[in-house]
């Protein structure tokens, strides 16, 4: 419970002056101190006492400036700085900071989870401050704090404070102007009479342009035809050969007090005085090799050196105007079309001609040939039964083993069964492997006991039109030791170690044991196995892993691991997994301080599911990319390389999701994403089509 010296401490930290009214109140075992000033600033201090003697008292002080409220679309540059006095309890594990744009709806986080808040941040026990950034501008945020001990017990909420974040006072940042941004320029083809001018802004805005430099935004009469978001475009016409054009762009955001650019963003280009008389140059035609047997469709693609419209046919020497089939994706420099009705054992020739977009269009007068073939079936008449190999387990298993996994491989896709009686025909076997139908097979056998030897006789049947079945036994045999295991598990391969990169917020801790075991961990050395509260989330076998979060830059972490095997042999010494998180460098001490407290989550992409059947839906998604921005997705081709990127837009949280029906041939494919605003490229992840 709280002591009187806590009251004295508060009085020393918060002296009473003639500008303030102070109120002290008790509620249950939580002491709350509120201070309201006459300068429209709210300040609060919280003291939290755990129930059951878990912890003594926590003092928290927070100061916020109150600003105007906005209903406009928010910009994410708002901040909130929080600080508090450290709790002195020995078993304190950390603090949870709850926050959101609506006030709290309950008093016990154990009863109502987030209790009306949007999210929470967990910080270490040694932390006494936290800085929020990228909060919505001109938005009210509400905050409360709890503390928790090493057993996971969490206190009730403190009282609640709020802050209205800073208003947006910055004009939009303009970028990616096209056709070109001064001092650069570009030359468009002779005969161009109109073109689109485009640019991007870092926030929602309305953009205008003038042909006179130095024109104020309010005085500009030409508004972009597509504007109001972050991508802006409009068409300018009346262009002539040999002329240079300058367009001066200014934009205004949607803040409560709108911010307009006071400087020009110049988009400039010129029109060539020489007419384009050259037909497009074609290259990179695909596919160009033998495709897998069973392929019934393929993507025909090529590149041109200029914007063009491309067509294809199956008859050589056909004039462009007479070719009936136009690429479904064309008009730029990348062209593609889906070809269907393909058959095994055949070779296909497609003849491509293109026409550019010059004032007097230039069309190819020769063929660009894309040639590929479809493979023949590898096995025309399979008359051989599967070849069985790599059976396991073998030898002697540990005493106390009551079940194990039977595994083997086959030379082709097959369904495998087993019997405990030798010479049993496949059709008469009643036990089918739990995982089978491909080339790797496994099943669990149980009811094992010490001192016994076991024999399992396996036969398999392939998937040929007339199935072939094994007529002889493949024997998997092993025994169970009758010597009681009296040795605790041997631990090895602890990970991570050394230094992790700055900004790492969570990490997977892992290790291996030489036998099946259950492992636990603690941040306190010399803690007995039974007293450890945290078990590995993935344990019970020989590989063990769990996720730990709330890491901070500039800190070192030690985790002490002990394990217990199936014979109740327990480690009596610590296995230490130790690592640190690098400090984040910054130009100012303030930045250095806040960077070590900020929770950083990495961008990621994923597949759902990781293995998908042809004709089924595959969902691919990404998180924490640039908000309301463009991401380029690159997908691998069946024949190697990648298709031209697919551009999609993220939502206001930086996330995206796509879903489509998979029609690719069986195999393994990869994809990755590139954040076009930051230039960040994700790792390549794979999925399998079966």
């Amino acid at each position: 419970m709280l002591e009187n010296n806590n009251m004295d401490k508060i009085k020393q930290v918060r002296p009473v002056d003639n500008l303030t009214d102070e109120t002290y109140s008790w509620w249950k075992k939580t002491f709350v101190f509120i201070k309201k000033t006459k300068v429209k600033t709210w300040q609060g201090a919280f003291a939290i006492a755990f129930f059951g003697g878990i912890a003594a008292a926590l003092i928290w002080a927070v100061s916020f400036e109150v600003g105007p409220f906005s209903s406009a679309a928010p910009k994410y540059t708002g901040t909130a700085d929080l600080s508090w006095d450290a709790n002195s309890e020995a078993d304190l594990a950390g603090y949870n900071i709850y926050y959101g744009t609506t006030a709290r709806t309950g008093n016990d986080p154990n009863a109502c989870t987030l209790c009306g808040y949007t999210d929470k941040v967990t910080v270490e026990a040694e932390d006494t401050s936290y800085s929020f950034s990228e909060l919505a501008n001109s938005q009210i945020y509400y905050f409360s704090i709890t503390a928790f001990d090493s057993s996971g017990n969490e206190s009730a909420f403190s009282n609640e404070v709020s802050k209205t974040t800073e208003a947006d006072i910055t004009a939009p940042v303009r970028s990616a102007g096209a056709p070109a941004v001064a001092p650069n320029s570009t030359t468009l083809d002779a005969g161009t009479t109109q073109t689109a001018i485009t640019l991007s802004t870092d926030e929602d805005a309305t953009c205008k342009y003038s042909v006179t430099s130095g024109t104020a935004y309010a005085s500009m009469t030409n508004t972009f035809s597509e504007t109001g978001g972050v991508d802006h475009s409009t068409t300018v016409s009346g262009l002539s050969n040999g002329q240079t054009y300058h367009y001066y762009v200014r934009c205004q955001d949607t803040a409560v007090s709108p911010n307009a650019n006071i400087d020009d963003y110049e988009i400039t280009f010129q029109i060539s005085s020489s007419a384009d008389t050259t037909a497009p140059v074609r290259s990179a035609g695909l596919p160009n090799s033998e495709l897998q047997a069973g392929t019934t469709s393929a993507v025909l693609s090529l590149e041109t050196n200029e914007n063009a419209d491309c067509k294809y046919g199956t008859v050589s020497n056909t004039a462009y105007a007479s070719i009936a089939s136009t690429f479904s994706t064309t008009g730029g420099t990348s062209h593609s079309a889906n070809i269907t009705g393909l058959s095994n054992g055949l070779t296909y020739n497609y003849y491509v001609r293109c026409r550019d977009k010059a004032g007097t269009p230039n069309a190819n007068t020769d063929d660009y040939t894309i040639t590929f073939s479809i493979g023949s079936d590898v096995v025309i008449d399979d008359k051989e039964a599967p070849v069985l190999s790599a059976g396991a387990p073998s030898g002697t298993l540990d005493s106390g083993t009551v079940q194990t996994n039977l595994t083997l491989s086959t030379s082709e896709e097959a369904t495998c069964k087993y019997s405990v009686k030798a010479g049993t025909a496949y059709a008469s076997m009643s036990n089918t492997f739990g995982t089978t139908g491909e080339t790797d097979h496994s099943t669990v056998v149980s009811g094992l006991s010490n001192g016994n030897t076991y024999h399992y006789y396996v036969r398999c049947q392939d998937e040929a039109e007339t199935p072939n079945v094994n007529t002889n036994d493949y024997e998997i045999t092993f025994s169970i030791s009758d010597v009681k295991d009296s040795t605790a598990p041997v631990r090895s391969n602890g990970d991570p170690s050394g230094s992790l990169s700055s900004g790492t917020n969570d990490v997977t801790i892992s290790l291996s044991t030489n036998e099946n075991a259950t492992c636990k961990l603690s941040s306190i050395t010399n803690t007995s196995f039974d007293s450890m509260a945290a078990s590995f989330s993935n344990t019970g076998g020989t590989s063990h892993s769990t996720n730990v979060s709330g890491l901070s830059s500039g800190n070192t972490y030690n985790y002490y691991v002990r394990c217990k095997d199936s014979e109740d042999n327990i480690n009596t010494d610590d296995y230490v997994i130790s690592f640190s998180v690098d400090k984040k460098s910054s130009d100012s001490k303030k930045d250095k301080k806040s960077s070590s407290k900020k929770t950083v989550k990495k961008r990621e992409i994923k597949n759902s599911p990781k293995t998908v059947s042809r004709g089924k839906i595959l969902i691919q998604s990404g998180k924490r990319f640039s908000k309301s921005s463009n991401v380029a997705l690159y997908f691998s081709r069946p024949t190697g390389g990648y298709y031209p990127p697919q551009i999609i837009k993220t939502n206001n949280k930086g996330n995206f999701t796509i879903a489509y029906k998979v029609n690719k041939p069986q195999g393994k494919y990869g994809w990755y994403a590139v954040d076009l605003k930051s230039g960040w490229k994700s790792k390549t992840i794979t999925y399998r089509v079966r």
Side-chain angles (χ1 to χ4, degrees):
M1 63 183 294
L2 293 170
E3 304 293 340
N4 288 335
N5 60 357
N6 288 324
M7 178 71 75
D8 294 336
K9 183 175 182 179
I10 291 174
K11 290 180 179 179
Q12 293 167 7
V13 175
R14 302 286 186 200
V16 180
D17 58 44
N18 56 13
L19 289 178
T20 64
D21 298 317
E22 299 186 350
T23 302
Y24 299 92
S25 63
W26 286 89
W27 179 77
K28 293 185 178 179
K29 293 187 177 182
T30 301
F31 176 81
V32 182
F33 167 70
I34 297 294
K35 176 179 178 181
K36 181 180 180 182
T37 76
K38 294 183 179 180
V39 291
K40 294 186 178 179
T41 298
W42 284 92
Q43 295 178 322
F46 311 134
I48 302 172
F50 284 121
F51 298 98
I54 298 169
L58 163 71
I59 308 299
W60 188 41
V62 138
S63 179
F64 294 133
E65 281 295 330
V66 179
F69 177 76
S70 169
S71 61
K75 188 176 181 180
Y76 291 89
T77 60
T79 62
D81 296 321
L82 294 86
S83 62
W84 57 92
D85 293 341
N87 188 291
S88 60
E89 288 298 307
D91 61 349
L92 176 70
Y95 307 99
N96 288 324
I97 303 171
Y98 292 79
Y99 68 98
T101 56
T102 57
R104 191 176 71 228
T105 58
N107 292 314
D108 185 359
N110 300 292
C112 56
T113 314
L114 291 176
C115 301
Y117 289 119
T118 305
D119 205 348
K120 70 176 180 180
V121 174
T122 300
V123 297
E124 297 292 333
E126 58 267 26
D127 290 334
T128 58
S129 65
Y130 190 85
S131 296
F132 286 91
S133 62
E134 297 185 1
L135 300 177
N137 293 90
S138 299
Q139 174 68 56
I140 297 177
Y141 282 86
Y142 298 86
F143 302 84
S144 292
I145 190 171
T146 65
F148 59 91
D149 63 18
S150 57
S151 297
N153 300 301
E154 186 173 11
S155 74
F157 284 112
S158 68
N159 65 316
E160 183 175 63
V161 294
S162 64
K163 176 189 179 181
T164 299
T165 54
E166 304 88 338
D168 176 12
I169 58 172
T170 305
V173 177
R174 297 149 296 175
S175 62
V181 177
N184 300 314
S185 184
T186 189
T187 301
L188 306 185
D189 291 337
T192 300
T193 59
Q194 65 178 32
T195 191
I197 58 174
T198 63
L199 76 154
S200 298
T201 52
D202 67 333
E203 59 180 316
D204 289 350
T206 299
C207 294
K208 298 181 180 182
Y209 70 92
S210 174
V211 294
T212 304
S213 64
T215 304
Y217 177 85
S219 300
M220 289 182 170
T221 58
N222 300 303
T223 303
F224 276 63
S225 57
E226 182 181 333
T227 193
V230 296
D231 296 317
H232 315 269
S233 66
T234 197
T235 298
V236 291
S237 57
L239 310 178
S240 302
N241 290 354
Q243 300 297 315
T244 299
Y245 296 89
H246 304 272
Y247 296 91
Y248 305 95
V249 182
R250 299 190 183 194
C251 303
Q252 179 175 278
D253 64 19
T254 58
V256 175
S257 298
N259 304 291
N261 300 120
I262 57 174
D263 62 325
D264 291 326
Y265 184 80
E266 183 181 351
I267 297 176
T268 183
F269 57 89
Q270 58 188 7
I271 309 299
S272 174
S273 58
S274 300
D276 178 8
T277 60
T278 305
V281 177
R282 297 148 296 174
S283 62
L286 289 172
N288 57 8
S289 60
E290 182 179 283
L291 305 186
Q292 182 179 353
T295 299
T296 59
S297 65
V299 174
L300 206 66
S301 66
L302 78 155
E303 305 287 331
T304 53
N305 68 325
E306 59 180 320
N307 292 344
D309 294 315
C310 294
K311 297 182 178 182
Y312 65 93
T314 56
V315 179
S316 64
N317 298 317
T318 303
Y320 176 85
S322 300
I323 298 176
S325 299
T326 302
F327 278 74
S328 55
T329 299
T330 194
T333 59
S334 297
H335 316 269
S336 62
N338 193 52
I339 306 298
T340 60
L342 307 178
S343 300
N344 289 353
L346 297 180
T347 297
Y348 295 89
N349 296 301
Y350 290 91
Y351 306 98
V352 181
R353 298 193 181 195
C354 303
R355 184 177 67 186
D356 65 18
K357 298 177 179 293
T360 302
N362 304 290
N364 299 120
T365 57
D366 62 327
D367 292 327
Y368 180 83
T369 307
I370 298 177
T371 299
F372 62 93
S373 61
I374 308 299
S376 300
D377 292 333
V378 176
V379 178
I380 298 175
D381 187 10
D382 181 6
K383 294 183 179 180
E384 299 293 331
V387 177
L388 283 57
S389 63
S394 61
T396 302
L397 306 187
D398 290 338
S399 171
T401 300
V402 296
Q403 68 176 31
T404 192
N405 220 23
L406 296 184
T407 63
L408 78 153
S409 298
T410 53
S411 59
E412 58 182 315
E413 293 185 350
T415 300
C416 295
K417 298 181 179 182
Y418 70 92
S419 173
V420 294
K421 182 178 179 181
T424 304
Y426 178 84
S428 300
M429 289 181 170
S430 57
N431 301 304
T432 302
F433 274 64
T435 299
T436 192
E438 297 186 357
T439 58
D440 294 319
H441 314 269
S442 65
T443 197
V444 174
V445 292
S446 58
L448 311 178
S449 57
N450 292 352
N452 290 322
T453 299
Y454 296 89
H455 304 271
Y456 295 90
Y457 304 96
V458 182
R459 299 189 182 194
C460 303
Q461 177 178 281
D462 66 17
E463 298 181 356
E465 185 173 352
T466 301
N468 304 291
V469 65
N470 298 120
T471 56
N472 58 317
D473 292 328
Y474 182 83
E475 183 179 355
I476 298 176
T477 183
F478 58 89
S479 59
I480 308 298
S481 174
D482 59 357
V483 178
K484 182 176 176 62
D485 177 14
S486 60
T487 305
V490 177
R491 297 149 295 175
S492 62
N493 300 322
D495 191 67
S497 61
S499 296
L500 306 184
S501 59
S502 174
T504 299
N505 178 58
D506 58 10
V507 71
T508 297
I509 291 181
S510 64
L511 77 155
S512 300
T513 52
N514 67 327
E515 59 180 319
N516 291 344
T518 300
C519 295
K520 296 182 178 181
L521 75 160
S522 173
S523 58
I524 301 174
T525 187
N526 296 322
T527 303
S528 69
F529 179 85
D530 291 334
S531 299
M532 289 181 170
S535 295
F536 278 69
S537 57
N538 178 26
T539 193
T542 59
S543 296
H544 315 269
S545 62
T546 195
N547 185 264
V548 294
S549 59
L551 308 180
S552 301
S553 298
N555 289 326
T556 298
Y557 297 89
N558 296 305
Y559 291 92
Y560 306 94
V561 182
R562 299 191 181 195
C563 304
K564 179 175 73 173
D565 65 17
S566 59
E567 295 292 334
D568 290 334
N569 298 301
I570 300 174
N571 299 122
T572 57
D573 61 329
D574 290 328
Y575 181 83
V576 183
I577 297 177
S578 179
F579 59 91
S580 61
V581 181
D582 287 340
K583 291 183 178 180
K584 183 176 181 181
S585 61
S586 177
D587 292 334
S588 69
K589 293 182 179 180
K590 179 179 179 181
D591 288 342
K592 289 181 180 178
K593 181 178 180 180
S594 63
S595 67
S596 66
K597 307 302 178 184
K598 183 177 179 181
T599 300
V600 178
K601 295 183 178 179
K602 297 181 179 178
R603 300 178 182 91
E604 63 177 15
I605 60 174
K606 67 177 182 177
N607 300 307
S608 180
K610 294 181 180 179
T611 300
V612 62
S613 299
R614 293 186 67 193
K616 299 298 183 181
I617 298 298
L618 175 65
I619 299 174
Q620 295 170 315
S621 59
K623 291 184 177 180
R624 294 180 286 277
F625 287 72
S626 295
K627 301 179 180 76
S628 301
S629 186
N630 290 327
V631 175
L633 307 183
Y634 292 81
F635 298 92
S636 65
R637 301 176 185 268
T639 55
Y642 285 82
Y643 292 116
Q646 177 182 345
I647 308 300
I648 66 169
K649 193 167 186 176
T650 61
N651 62 21
N652 61 5
K653 294 184 178 180
N655 302 336
F656 67 84
T657 300
I658 60 172
Y660 58 95
K661 184 180 291 185
V662 175
N663 291 313
K664 293 181 179 178
Q666 293 180 355
K668 187 176 182 181
Y669 298 88
W671 71 287
Y672 64 90
V674 176
D675 190 324
L676 296 181
K677 184 174 182 180
S678 67
W680 182 86
K681 175 184 174 183
S682 75
K683 65 179 182 180
T684 300
I685 66 172
T686 60
Y687 62 97
R688 183 172 294 278
V689 178
R690 64 183 181 188

